[in-house]
Amino acid sequence: MQRYENRRAVITGAATGLGQAIAQRLAAEGARLELVDIDREGLTGTQAAVHGQSPQAQVGLHLVDVADEAAVQELARTLGEDGPVHVLVNNAGVDSRGGKVHEYPTELFDRIIAVDLKGTFLMTKHLVPLMFDAEDPAIVNMASFSGLAADFDRSGYNAAKGGVVNFTRATAVDYGEQGIRANAVCPGTIETPLIDKLAGSEDEAEGRKFREDQTRVTPLRRLGDPSEIGAAVAFLGSSDASFITGQTLTVDGGVMAYTWPQAML
């Protein structure tokens, strides 16, 4: 299936994890990729992974901090020299526990908001003009089930991802008249390097316990695979979702489907 043939997709946070999986999926469907991250080595790795399965894919690499407006403006100028953007995937994000609200470090709150929420705003603000003349343009923002409900000790992340959910609706309302669709994906617990950073790897006792706990409270009884998020993004960014905008697609194995996990535990 080549839903992205002759379509140009910009993906932020593309150096690893979900960003890499999204890049691989869109390239496999024919997209021309513009990959954005602050990690040069990671971007090169994603490029290699894309070419490993889609040797003919066109892949541009861009070292950009999405929280830096001047850098995002320069990216938009550069991309604009080469035609319209058909799909924008705002995937860049950071996360960390910070303690209860009264002890949460302000600098950590600011950084998470800057990347996860402000970065989504800045990329949309400066790249959406490049989508005005594109055929069936679409924006897909990466939120989280942590933007739909709360976690212990992660108020900054909860606030940022909750903001992404409603910012997505605002974008859909603002640009519906131009035919630009905007939707969000809310992943649950997905097996990515971020999980290793937050909870420990599968080789560590803490990491194994985290995965066991997550498996018990997930109706499908497993963690998600990054490719499953890539598939959700590919759907929302494609013409198959041509009358879907302002919506949030939760991809969490069923976690948000219940109110009290006692019986499952």
PDB file of all heavy atoms in Angstrom, residues 161-188:
ATOM      1  N   LYS A 161       1.139  16.967  27.922  1.00  0.00           N
ATOM      2  CA  LYS A 161       0.408  16.096  26.996  1.00  0.00           C
ATOM      3  C   LYS A 161      -1.086  16.403  26.999  1.00  0.00           C
ATOM      4  O   LYS A 161      -1.754  16.271  25.958  1.00  0.00           O
ATOM      5  CB  LYS A 161       0.674  14.626  27.338  1.00  0.00           C
ATOM      6  CG  LYS A 161       2.107  14.187  27.058  1.00  0.00           C
ATOM      7  CD  LYS A 161       2.508  14.431  25.603  1.00  0.00           C
ATOM      8  CE  LYS A 161       3.872  13.847  25.276  1.00  0.00           C
ATOM      9  NZ  LYS A 161       4.255  14.076  23.869  1.00  0.00           N
ATOM     10  N   GLY A 162      -1.625  16.815  28.147  1.00  0.00           N
ATOM     11  CA  GLY A 162      -3.004  17.277  28.151  1.00  0.00           C
ATOM     12  C   GLY A 162      -3.167  18.508  27.280  1.00  0.00           C
ATOM     13  O   GLY A 162      -4.158  18.665  26.564  1.00  0.00           O
ATOM     14  N   GLY A 163      -2.164  19.375  27.321  1.00  0.00           N
ATOM     15  CA  GLY A 163      -2.170  20.550  26.453  1.00  0.00           C
ATOM     16  C   GLY A 163      -2.105  20.190  24.988  1.00  0.00           C
ATOM     17  O   GLY A 163      -2.774  20.819  24.153  1.00  0.00           O
ATOM     18  N   VAL A 164      -1.323  19.176  24.649  1.00  0.00           N
ATOM     19  CA  VAL A 164      -1.220  18.737  23.255  1.00  0.00           C
ATOM     20  C   VAL A 164      -2.580  18.257  22.743  1.00  0.00           C
ATOM     21  O   VAL A 164      -2.968  18.546  21.607  1.00  0.00           O
ATOM     22  CB  VAL A 164      -0.161  17.622  23.098  1.00  0.00           C
ATOM     23  CG1 VAL A 164      -0.249  16.962  21.720  1.00  0.00           C
ATOM     24  CG2 VAL A 164       1.238  18.189  23.320  1.00  0.00           C
ATOM     25  N   VAL A 165      -3.322  17.546  23.590  1.00  0.00           N
ATOM     26  CA  VAL A 165      -4.639  17.056  23.183  1.00  0.00           C
ATOM     27  C   VAL A 165      -5.553  18.215  22.801  1.00  0.00           C
ATOM     28  O   VAL A 165      -6.185  18.206  21.741  1.00  0.00           O
ATOM     29  CB  VAL A 165      -5.276  16.214  24.311  1.00  0.00           C
ATOM     30  CG1 VAL A 165      -6.750  15.935  24.009  1.00  0.00           C
ATOM     31  CG2 VAL A 165      -4.522  14.899  24.487  1.00  0.00           C
ATOM     32  N   ASN A 166      -5.615  19.246  23.649  1.00  0.00           N
ATOM     33  CA  ASN A 166      -6.534  20.344  23.344  1.00  0.00           C
ATOM     34  C   ASN A 166      -5.964  21.289  22.282  1.00  0.00           C
ATOM     35  O   ASN A 166      -6.729  21.896  21.523  1.00  0.00           O
ATOM     36  CB  ASN A 166      -6.903  21.119  24.603  1.00  0.00           C
ATOM     37  CG  ASN A 166      -8.362  21.552  24.585  1.00  0.00           C
ATOM     38  OD1 ASN A 166      -9.216  20.863  24.042  1.00  0.00           O
ATOM     39  ND2 ASN A 166      -8.646  22.704  25.168  1.00  0.00           N
ATOM     40  N   PHE A 167      -4.640  21.416  22.217  1.00  0.00           N
ATOM     41  CA  PHE A 167      -4.037  22.191  21.129  1.00  0.00           C
ATOM     42  C   PHE A 167      -4.368  21.559  19.781  1.00  0.00           C
ATOM     43  O   PHE A 167      -4.575  22.265  18.781  1.00  0.00           O
ATOM     44  CB  PHE A 167      -2.521  22.289  21.322  1.00  0.00           C
ATOM     45  CG  PHE A 167      -1.824  22.989  20.187  1.00  0.00           C
ATOM     46  CD1 PHE A 167      -1.933  24.363  20.036  1.00  0.00           C
ATOM     47  CD2 PHE A 167      -1.076  22.274  19.267  1.00  0.00           C
ATOM     48  CE1 PHE A 167      -1.302  25.016  18.974  1.00  0.00           C
ATOM     49  CE2 PHE A 167      -0.438  22.919  18.210  1.00  0.00           C
ATOM     50  CZ  PHE A 167      -0.555  24.293  18.063  1.00  0.00           C
ATOM     51  N   THR A 168      -4.426  20.243  19.749  1.00  0.00           N
ATOM     52  CA  THR A 168      -4.795  19.542  18.516  1.00  0.00           C
ATOM     53  C   THR A 168      -6.193  19.948  18.078  1.00  0.00           C
ATOM     54  O   THR A 168      -6.440  20.203  16.891  1.00  0.00           O
ATOM     55  CB  THR A 168      -4.718  18.023  18.727  1.00  0.00           C
ATOM     56  OG1 THR A 168      -3.375  17.664  19.099  1.00  0.00           O
ATOM     57  CG2 THR A 168      -5.117  17.271  17.470  1.00  0.00           C
ATOM     58  N   ARG A 169      -7.118  20.021  19.025  1.00  0.00           N
ATOM     59  CA  ARG A 169      -8.479  20.448  18.685  1.00  0.00           C
ATOM     60  C   ARG A 169      -8.472  21.886  18.157  1.00  0.00           C
ATOM     61  O   ARG A 169      -9.168  22.217  17.184  1.00  0.00           O
ATOM     62  CB  ARG A 169      -9.376  20.342  19.911  1.00  0.00           C
ATOM     63  CG  ARG A 169      -9.550  18.921  20.452  1.00  0.00           C
ATOM     64  CD  ARG A 169     -10.584  18.889  21.555  1.00  0.00           C
ATOM     65  NE  ARG A 169     -10.672  17.565  22.161  1.00  0.00           N
ATOM     66  CZ  ARG A 169     -10.226  17.262  23.367  1.00  0.00           C
ATOM     67  NH1 ARG A 169      -9.656  18.195  24.121  1.00  0.00           N
ATOM     68  NH2 ARG A 169     -10.354  16.043  23.846  1.00  0.00           N
ATOM     69  N   ALA A 170      -7.705  22.753  18.813  1.00  0.00           N
ATOM     70  CA  ALA A 170      -7.636  24.145  18.385  1.00  0.00           C
ATOM     71  C   ALA A 170      -7.097  24.258  16.957  1.00  0.00           C
ATOM     72  O   ALA A 170      -7.594  25.049  16.147  1.00  0.00           O
ATOM     73  CB  ALA A 170      -6.754  24.949  19.344  1.00  0.00           C
ATOM     74  N   THR A 171      -6.094  23.455  16.652  1.00  0.00           N
ATOM     75  CA  THR A 171      -5.516  23.462  15.307  1.00  0.00           C
ATOM     76  C   THR A 171      -6.532  22.984  14.274  1.00  0.00           C
ATOM     77  O   THR A 171      -6.656  23.552  13.179  1.00  0.00           O
ATOM     78  CB  THR A 171      -4.268  22.570  15.267  1.00  0.00           C
ATOM     79  OG1 THR A 171      -3.332  23.015  16.272  1.00  0.00           O
ATOM     80  CG2 THR A 171      -3.596  22.626  13.908  1.00  0.00           C
ATOM     81  N   ALA A 172      -7.275  21.940  14.630  1.00  0.00           N
ATOM     82  CA  ALA A 172      -8.298  21.424  13.723  1.00  0.00           C
ATOM     83  C   ALA A 172      -9.347  22.485  13.420  1.00  0.00           C
ATOM     84  O   ALA A 172      -9.788  22.642  12.274  1.00  0.00           O
ATOM     85  CB  ALA A 172      -8.958  20.184  14.328  1.00  0.00           C
ATOM     86  N   VAL A 173      -9.746  23.228  14.449  1.00  0.00           N
ATOM     87  CA  VAL A 173     -10.751  24.275  14.272  1.00  0.00           C
ATOM     88  C   VAL A 173     -10.192  25.429  13.443  1.00  0.00           C
ATOM     89  O   VAL A 173     -10.858  25.955  12.540  1.00  0.00           O
ATOM     90  CB  VAL A 173     -11.240  24.773  15.646  1.00  0.00           C
ATOM     91  CG1 VAL A 173     -12.098  26.019  15.499  1.00  0.00           C
ATOM     92  CG2 VAL A 173     -12.026  23.683  16.360  1.00  0.00           C
ATOM     93  N   ASP A 174      -8.957  25.829  13.722  1.00  0.00           N
ATOM     94  CA  ASP A 174      -8.353  26.964  13.026  1.00  0.00           C
ATOM     95  C   ASP A 174      -8.165  26.714  11.534  1.00  0.00           C
ATOM     96  O   ASP A 174      -8.292  27.639  10.725  1.00  0.00           O
ATOM     97  CB  ASP A 174      -6.999  27.310  13.645  1.00  0.00           C
ATOM     98  CG  ASP A 174      -7.111  28.153  14.903  1.00  0.00           C
ATOM     99  OD1 ASP A 174      -8.231  28.607  15.219  1.00  0.00           O
ATOM    100  OD2 ASP A 174      -6.077  28.363  15.568  1.00  0.00           O
ATOM    101  N   TYR A 175      -7.831  25.477  11.155  1.00  0.00           N
ATOM    102  CA  TYR A 175      -7.413  25.225   9.775  1.00  0.00           C
ATOM    103  C   TYR A 175      -8.321  24.288   8.998  1.00  0.00           C
ATOM    104  O   TYR A 175      -7.994  23.897   7.881  1.00  0.00           O
ATOM    105  CB  TYR A 175      -5.969  24.713   9.759  1.00  0.00           C
ATOM    106  CG  TYR A 175      -5.014  25.747  10.294  1.00  0.00           C
ATOM    107  CD1 TYR A 175      -4.472  25.632  11.574  1.00  0.00           C
ATOM    108  CD2 TYR A 175      -4.716  26.884   9.544  1.00  0.00           C
ATOM    109  CE1 TYR A 175      -3.635  26.610  12.079  1.00  0.00           C
ATOM    110  CE2 TYR A 175      -3.880  27.863  10.046  1.00  0.00           C
ATOM    111  CZ  TYR A 175      -3.343  27.727  11.313  1.00  0.00           C
ATOM    112  OH  TYR A 175      -2.523  28.710  11.822  1.00  0.00           O
ATOM    113  N   GLY A 176      -9.477  23.964   9.567  1.00  0.00           N
ATOM    114  CA  GLY A 176     -10.405  23.115   8.832  1.00  0.00           C
ATOM    115  C   GLY A 176     -10.819  23.725   7.504  1.00  0.00           C
ATOM    116  O   GLY A 176     -10.978  23.030   6.495  1.00  0.00           O
ATOM    117  N   GLU A 177     -10.974  25.046   7.480  1.00  0.00           N
ATOM    118  CA  GLU A 177     -11.403  25.722   6.260  1.00  0.00           C
ATOM    119  C   GLU A 177     -10.368  25.599   5.145  1.00  0.00           C
ATOM    120  O   GLU A 177     -10.705  25.643   3.957  1.00  0.00           O
ATOM    121  CB  GLU A 177     -11.672  27.197   6.558  1.00  0.00           C
ATOM    122  CG  GLU A 177     -12.592  27.865   5.563  1.00  0.00           C
ATOM    123  CD  GLU A 177     -13.062  29.233   6.031  1.00  0.00           C
ATOM    124  OE1 GLU A 177     -12.736  29.623   7.177  1.00  0.00           O
ATOM    125  OE2 GLU A 177     -13.738  29.910   5.242  1.00  0.00           O
ATOM    126  N   GLN A 178      -9.102  25.446   5.540  1.00  0.00           N
ATOM    127  CA  GLN A 178      -8.036  25.237   4.552  1.00  0.00           C
ATOM    128  C   GLN A 178      -7.861  23.758   4.201  1.00  0.00           C
ATOM    129  O   GLN A 178      -6.961  23.400   3.439  1.00  0.00           O
ATOM    130  CB  GLN A 178      -6.709  25.797   5.085  1.00  0.00           C
ATOM    131  CG  GLN A 178      -6.579  27.307   5.012  1.00  0.00           C
ATOM    132  CD  GLN A 178      -7.319  27.998   6.144  1.00  0.00           C
ATOM    133  OE1 GLN A 178      -7.426  27.449   7.241  1.00  0.00           O
ATOM    134  NE2 GLN A 178      -7.826  29.193   5.893  1.00  0.00           N
ATOM    135  N   GLY A 179      -8.690  22.904   4.793  1.00  0.00           N
ATOM    136  CA  GLY A 179      -8.606  21.477   4.501  1.00  0.00           C
ATOM    137  C   GLY A 179      -7.498  20.761   5.243  1.00  0.00           C
ATOM    138  O   GLY A 179      -7.172  19.617   4.920  1.00  0.00           O
ATOM    139  N   ILE A 180      -6.905  21.421   6.242  1.00  0.00           N
ATOM    140  CA  ILE A 180      -5.830  20.793   7.022  1.00  0.00           C
ATOM    141  C   ILE A 180      -6.433  20.071   8.213  1.00  0.00           C
ATOM    142  O   ILE A 180      -7.093  20.677   9.054  1.00  0.00           O
ATOM    143  CB  ILE A 180      -4.810  21.844   7.501  1.00  0.00           C
ATOM    144  CG1 ILE A 180      -4.164  22.541   6.298  1.00  0.00           C
ATOM    145  CG2 ILE A 180      -3.746  21.195   8.386  1.00  0.00           C
ATOM    146  CD1 ILE A 180      -3.252  23.695   6.677  1.00  0.00           C
ATOM    147  N   ARG A 181      -6.215  18.776   8.266  1.00  0.00           N
ATOM    148  CA  ARG A 181      -6.708  17.976   9.380  1.00  0.00           C
ATOM    149  C   ARG A 181      -5.661  17.914  10.487  1.00  0.00           C
ATOM    150  O   ARG A 181      -4.460  17.889  10.210  1.00  0.00           O
ATOM    151  CB  ARG A 181      -7.040  16.554   8.924  1.00  0.00           C
ATOM    152  CG  ARG A 181      -8.156  16.501   7.886  1.00  0.00           C
ATOM    153  CD  ARG A 181      -8.469  15.088   7.447  1.00  0.00           C
ATOM    154  NE  ARG A 181      -7.352  14.475   6.723  1.00  0.00           N
ATOM    155  CZ  ARG A 181      -6.536  13.560   7.218  1.00  0.00           C
ATOM    156  NH1 ARG A 181      -6.689  13.136   8.474  1.00  0.00           N
ATOM    157  NH2 ARG A 181      -5.571  13.056   6.488  1.00  0.00           N
ATOM    158  N   ALA A 182      -6.103  17.865  11.742  1.00  0.00           N
ATOM    159  CA  ALA A 182      -5.194  17.741  12.879  1.00  0.00           C
ATOM    160  C   ALA A 182      -5.776  16.739  13.869  1.00  0.00           C
ATOM    161  O   ALA A 182      -6.913  16.897  14.325  1.00  0.00           O
ATOM    162  CB  ALA A 182      -4.980  19.090  13.559  1.00  0.00           C
ATOM    163  N   ASN A 183      -5.014  15.727  14.176  1.00  0.00           N
ATOM    164  CA  ASN A 183      -5.434  14.700  15.130  1.00  0.00           C
ATOM    165  C   ASN A 183      -4.266  14.342  16.044  1.00  0.00           C
ATOM    166  O   ASN A 183      -3.106  14.649  15.741  1.00  0.00           O
ATOM    167  CB  ASN A 183      -5.916  13.450  14.388  1.00  0.00           C
ATOM    168  CG  ASN A 183      -7.189  13.698  13.605  1.00  0.00           C
ATOM    169  OD1 ASN A 183      -8.262  13.853  14.166  1.00  0.00           O
ATOM    170  ND2 ASN A 183      -7.071  13.760  12.278  1.00  0.00           N
ATOM    171  N   ALA A 184      -4.589  13.703  17.148  1.00  0.00           N
ATOM    172  CA  ALA A 184      -3.560  13.297  18.108  1.00  0.00           C
ATOM    173  C   ALA A 184      -3.606  11.792  18.326  1.00  0.00           C
ATOM    174  O   ALA A 184      -4.675  11.169  18.253  1.00  0.00           O
ATOM    175  CB  ALA A 184      -3.757  14.017  19.435  1.00  0.00           C
ATOM    176  N   VAL A 185      -2.458  11.227  18.603  1.00  0.00           N
ATOM    177  CA  VAL A 185      -2.347   9.831  19.025  1.00  0.00           C
ATOM    178  C   VAL A 185      -1.923   9.827  20.486  1.00  0.00           C
ATOM    179  O   VAL A 185      -0.997  10.548  20.876  1.00  0.00           O
ATOM    180  CB  VAL A 185      -1.322   9.061  18.166  1.00  0.00           C
ATOM    181  CG1 VAL A 185      -1.117   7.646  18.713  1.00  0.00           C
ATOM    182  CG2 VAL A 185      -1.770   9.004  16.717  1.00  0.00           C
ATOM    183  N   CYS A 186      -2.608   9.013  21.285  1.00  0.00           N
ATOM    184  CA  CYS A 186      -2.267   8.876  22.708  1.00  0.00           C
ATOM    185  C   CYS A 186      -1.767   7.461  22.969  1.00  0.00           C
ATOM    186  O   CYS A 186      -2.570   6.552  23.241  1.00  0.00           O
ATOM    187  CB  CYS A 186      -3.483   9.172  23.582  1.00  0.00           C
ATOM    188  SG  CYS A 186      -3.883  10.916  23.736  1.00  0.00           S
ATOM    189  N   PRO A 187      -0.469   7.231  22.867  1.00  0.00           N
ATOM    190  CA  PRO A 187       0.048   5.894  23.154  1.00  0.00           C
ATOM    191  C   PRO A 187      -0.073   5.550  24.638  1.00  0.00           C
ATOM    192  O   PRO A 187      -0.032   6.425  25.510  1.00  0.00           O
ATOM    193  CB  PRO A 187       1.528   5.980  22.752  1.00  0.00           C
ATOM    194  CG  PRO A 187       1.631   7.205  21.903  1.00  0.00           C
ATOM    195  CD  PRO A 187       0.589   8.142  22.420  1.00  0.00           C
ATOM    196  N   GLY A 188      -0.204   4.261  24.893  1.00  0.00           N
ATOM    197  CA  GLY A 188      -0.057   3.759  26.250  1.00  0.00           C
ATOM    198  C   GLY A 188       1.408   3.440  26.498  1.00  0.00           C
ATOM    199  O   GLY A 188       2.301   4.158  26.027  1.00  0.00           O
TER     200      GLY A 188
END
